[in-house]
Amino acid sequence: MERIAKLVRHVVRLLSEWTEMFPYDFRDELVMTHVRGISESCTPTDRSGEMSLLLRRLLRKLDTLECYEESLRRVPSLGFAFGKTDVTVVCPCPMLLAQQLTHVELERMSYIGPEEFVQAYAIDTAPHGLKVTKNTLNLESYLGWSSRLRNLVASEVYKQEAPTGRVQTTEFWINVATECFNIGNFNSLMAIISGLNATTLSVIKLRLRQIHVSKLRALEQQMHPSCNFSSYRSILKAASVRSERRGIFPEKTRVVIPYFALTLRDIYLVSEECASRLANGHINLEKFWELAKLVTQFLTWRQVDYPFKKNSQVMSYLQTCPTPKESELNLTSYESGSTETENKPPQSSKHFTSSYFVFQLPDMHVTSVTFLMEQYATNTKKMNFLLKSCVVALILAHALADKKVVCYFESWAVYRTGNGAFNIEDIDASLCTHLLYSFINLGDDGSVSPGDSYADLSDGLDGYNKVNNLKNQGTGIKIMAALGGGSAGSATFSTVVNDASKRSAFVNNAVNFLSNYGFDGMDIDWEYPASGDGSRSSDKEAFVETLKELRSKFDEHGYLLSVAVGAGNSFIGSSYDVAGISQ
């Protein structure tokens, strides 16, 4: 009898830990049938009543999940309508809004069970015909929340009729993003940055005060995907260390809400890229240890008692406010862009500062393209939609008269998941004459290096070899490496091109880089000579001199050279010697 009682205690303990750690397993009716059978068998010897208490706790958890899922079903899906109320009316304080966003994030995180990570990747790969049943949609709803927040941010800006209102709303969300960063809410931070980085908001950004431009730029750099999100990972690691401390202000030291899509991607890579068994047939314990660490860390982050008071009105607005879907935002963005252009004073109506075009040196007639763009911008107010489309078509036809179709591939695309996932293997090489692999780095000493060693090199995802293998498809495509980019800034470029020895080193290093990795040429994306942060007035002339030296050296090896430039008249006037570049 004593042996049976001891066995019952062990069974109850096992079930207690199981139901505590993996409660959603018990949504399966077959599993619950077995549990009830075990409970009936244990009841005669379970004098403490632990088994009955265990079942009651489990049923309460499952009931709570049912209520939560029901609340999610009542949330309106993304549609066509914009909310009539502004977020600044519901919550005028950026700090308070960031706190309520954190409450929403923590609430949604709390319902994600560790078994869901396993089920998400095991449904299609279960061995020996084992059926894996996924009983929850908490992962999907959490990702959906991030998409909703992104669209909400963009729609809050777009629905302001006056340009000043759009600027004020944009600045408000920048302040909210800053507060999210200070709290440690990186998931909301990334969604807000994505919403503010909608391409058509670029005109609005031109009107922002410098302090907000600096704030947004700093946040973008912290969350930039280059080098496998190295900046973000460093910050996350520091935040994790702080979260383990219990200081005077725990609300500032304990909250860590990771960028969830990246967390899922990390788990996916370990799950899919690492073999479950070693060559000798033994279980790969290291793989499962890494998976356990990733999931356990997430579970630790979600178990936080956030001290700030919940505001049900604000939380309800964030989760239920009518929010348009992507297609409606795209349509609105076009209309917003037209309105912005029409409301500008005449002297600035020619500026297309959010546009870029790539031209091949020295084949394309840049002056003609610029003239057409200026004429198009000047007469925008008088043109109807059809005429605008015709002018754009003429511009593109003129710019591509020599049949160069130049495409960019951003190396961090390989880190996206779900519908946004895009790998080099997905590229149709027949669509482009030239493909620019973005980006590679320029050092202060004129050195040239990979932008993301993990994504680019053969000991990681092997991006360089994969992209150059596109040339084997027989389409004649040219693969070029793009140097710089928006996040690179202007200071390093300015330092190198204005120093003759560093400039010479850069030219030689560029040739060696192209030779070592098999590229056909290089695209220079400097944003912007003589007008970017850290630039110098001498950049304009020094840039031309640099291009001359590159052209001379590249011709010796048969390499291509192109530049990406700002297409706005303000950039052309301040940053580029068009005649010198064209030569």
Side-chain angles (χ1 to χ4, degrees):
M1 189 67 180
E2 181 61 30
R3 289 182 59 190
I4 295 177
K6 185 176 181 180
L7 177 61
V8 168
R9 286 196 298 272
H10 286 311
V11 170
V12 171
R13 180 180 176 185
L14 173 63
L15 283 175
S16 178
E17 293 188 8
W18 187 4
T19 56
E20 186 68 29
M21 183 64 73
F22 305 107
Y24 302 155
D25 283 352
F26 298 88
R27 298 189 87 182
D28 187 289
E29 189 57 38
L30 181 60
V31 175
M32 281 301 296
T33 300
H34 288 310
V35 171
R36 291 190 182 96
I38 294 172
S39 175
E40 292 174 1
S41 301
C42 293
T43 299
T45 55
D46 181 24
R47 298 176 181 177
S48 64
E50 288 186 42
M51 193 67 189
S52 298
L53 181 62
L54 181 152
L55 283 176
R56 287 197 296 272
R57 284 201 304 264
L58 174 60
L59 291 174
R60 277 199 301 270
K61 284 186 177 181
L62 296 180
D63 287 341
T64 302
L65 176 62
E66 289 286 350
C67 294
Y68 171 68
E69 291 179 335
E70 179 60 32
S71 69
L72 291 180
R73 284 191 285 269
R74 291 196 298 269
V75 173
S77 58
L78 299 179
F80 298 95
F82 285 76
K84 296 181 179 180
T85 306
D86 292 345
V87 67
T88 52
V89 175
V90 179
C91 183
C93 175
M95 180 179 290
L96 177 59
L97 186 59
Q99 292 169 1
Q100 301 312 307
L101 282 170
T102 303
H103 275 302
V104 174
E105 298 277 357
L106 289 172
E107 180 182 84
R108 289 181 176 250
M109 285 173 63
S110 68
Y111 284 98
I112 298 176
E115 64 270 43
E116 294 188 70
F117 293 102
V118 178
Q119 293 168 350
Y121 302 125
I123 290 178
D124 298 324
T125 59
H128 309 301
L130 178 65
K131 183 179 180 181
V132 178
T133 304
K134 194 172 187 305
N135 297 312
T136 60
L137 295 174
N138 296 317
L139 290 179
E140 292 83 350
S141 66
Y142 192 29
L143 290 172
W145 150 251
S146 298
S147 298
R148 164 176 279 276
L149 179 56
R150 176 201 177 279
N151 287 9
L152 175 64
V153 171
S155 66
E156 288 287 337
V157 176
Y158 287 144
K159 69 185 180 184
Q160 305 298 322
E161 295 184 1
T164 53
R166 293 176 186 160
V167 170
Q168 290 170 357
T169 304
T170 300
E171 292 181 344
F172 175 82
W173 279 109
I174 291 174
N175 290 333
V176 174
T178 302
E179 294 298 336
C180 286
F181 178 83
N182 294 336
I183 290 171
N185 181 357
F186 300 108
N187 199 55
S188 290
L189 169 62
M190 194 63 169
I192 294 171
I193 290 175
S194 298
L196 293 178
N197 272 336
T199 55
T200 50
L201 293 182
S202 55
V203 175
I204 297 172
K205 290 180 186 177
L206 295 177
R207 300 172 180 262
L208 296 178
R209 288 174 290 177
Q210 185 58 43
I211 185 173
H212 290 92
V213 172
S214 299
K215 281 184 180 180
L216 181 58
R217 185 169 296 165
L219 293 172
E220 289 172 341
Q221 289 176 348
Q222 300 292 3
M223 301 300 292
H224 198 275
S226 60
C227 299
N228 195 16
F229 290 87
S230 59
S231 295
Y232 160 72
R233 292 184 188 278
S234 297
I235 296 168
L236 182 66
K237 184 176 181 180
S240 300
V241 172
R242 289 196 304 270
S243 72
E244 298 171 0
R245 302 172 183 169
R246 297 180 180 271
I248 299 176
F249 303 105
E251 69 275 10
K252 294 184 178 180
T253 59
R254 296 199 62 222
V255 174
V256 178
I257 300 175
Y259 174 31
F260 188 61
L262 184 60
T263 300
L264 276 184
R265 197 271 302 178
D266 289 343
I267 294 173
Y268 174 81
L269 286 179
V270 174
S271 176
E272 297 299 309
E273 300 298 325
C274 300
S276 297
R277 291 189 178 273
L278 302 175
N280 58 9
H282 293 173
I283 293 175
N284 186 357
L285 295 178
E286 185 176 356
K287 168 186 175 176
F288 294 103
W289 175 245
E290 288 299 322
L291 282 173
K293 285 197 297 184
L294 288 170
V295 175
T296 301
Q297 190 174 46
F298 178 82
L299 297 179
T300 301
W301 287 333
R302 73 175 190 173
Q303 295 171 350
V304 175
D305 294 325
Y306 193 49
F308 293 110
K309 185 178 179 180
K310 290 184 178 181
N311 186 313
S312 57
Q313 182 184 8
V314 177
M315 292 179 65
S316 175
Y317 178 86
L318 291 170
Q319 298 182 86
T320 63
C321 172
T323 304
K325 55 187 177 182
E326 202 75 29
S327 58
E328 186 66 19
L329 280 175
N330 291 338
L331 177 61
T332 305
S333 70
Y334 170 79
E335 296 169 349
S336 297
S338 299
T339 303
E340 285 292 326
T341 305
E342 292 169 5
N343 288 334
K344 287 183 180 180
Q347 65 270 23
S348 62
S349 64
K350 298 181 181 181
H351 296 179
F352 271 67
T353 50
S354 63
S355 302
Y356 295 87
F357 63 94
V358 179
F359 57 90
Q360 186 76 26
L361 298 178
D363 300 333
M364 288 192 180
H365 302 289
V366 183
T367 307
S368 300
V369 177
T370 304
F371 172 77
L372 281 174
M373 296 189 76
E374 289 178 5
Q375 294 304 308
Y376 164 55
T378 303
N379 296 293
T380 296
K381 189 172 183 179
K382 302 176 182 178
M383 295 180 179
N384 58 28
F385 177 79
L386 179 60
L387 187 54
K388 291 178 186 178
S389 301
C390 292
V391 173
V392 172
L394 285 172
I395 294 171
L396 293 176
H398 185 90
L400 300 176
D402 56 355
K403 298 182 181 178
K404 288 183 174 63
V405 181
V406 183
C407 307
Y408 273 90
F409 175 77
E410 297 169 332
S411 62
W412 54 90
V414 299
Y415 298 130
R416 298 202 301 259
T417 59
N419 292 333
F422 191 83
N423 296 305
I424 294 173
E425 293 84 354
D426 298 321
I427 297 173
D428 184 349
S430 66
L431 299 177
C432 313
T433 60
H434 299 72
L435 187 142
L436 308 184
Y437 188 96
S438 310
F439 285 101
I440 61 176
N441 293 334
L442 174 65
D444 288 333
D445 57 353
S447 59
V448 179
S449 60
D452 182 345
S453 297
Y454 177 73
D456 300 338
L457 302 183
S458 57
D459 56 353
L461 299 181
D462 203 20
Y464 287 167
N465 284 329
K466 288 181 180 178
V467 76
N468 277 298
N469 284 339
L470 294 175
K471 290 184 281 189
N472 297 332
Q473 295 183 14
T475 63
I477 190 173
K478 299 295 184 182
I479 308 297
M480 302 172 65
L483 178 80
S487 63
S490 188
T492 300
F493 275 104
S494 186
T495 298
V496 171
V497 302
N498 284 284
D499 185 305
S501 60
K502 291 182 178 180
R503 188 169 65 233
S504 177
F506 163 53
V507 171
N508 290 323
N509 289 330
V511 170
N512 291 335
F513 184 92
L514 298 178
S515 174
N516 290 338
Y517 295 112
F519 288 100
D520 297 310
M522 184 174 291
D523 175 67
I524 311 298
D525 187 354
W526 178 359
E527 302 180 21
Y528 300 92
S531 60
D533 290 344
S535 61
R536 311 177 193 182
S537 58
S538 56
D539 288 348
K540 196 171 180 179
E541 293 75 22
F543 188 35
V544 173
E545 186 61 34
T546 303
L547 293 176
K548 287 181 180 178
E549 294 182 23
L550 284 169
R551 176 81 281 163
S552 176
K553 198 72 172 179
F554 279 20
D555 283 346
E556 296 177 12
H557 300 270
Y559 290 137
L560 302 171
L561 176 64
S562 66
V563 294
V565 299
N569 193 48
S570 59
F571 284 115
I572 293 174
S574 62
S575 298
Y576 307 113
D577 176 358
V578 176
I581 292 175
S582 299
Q583 294 174 5

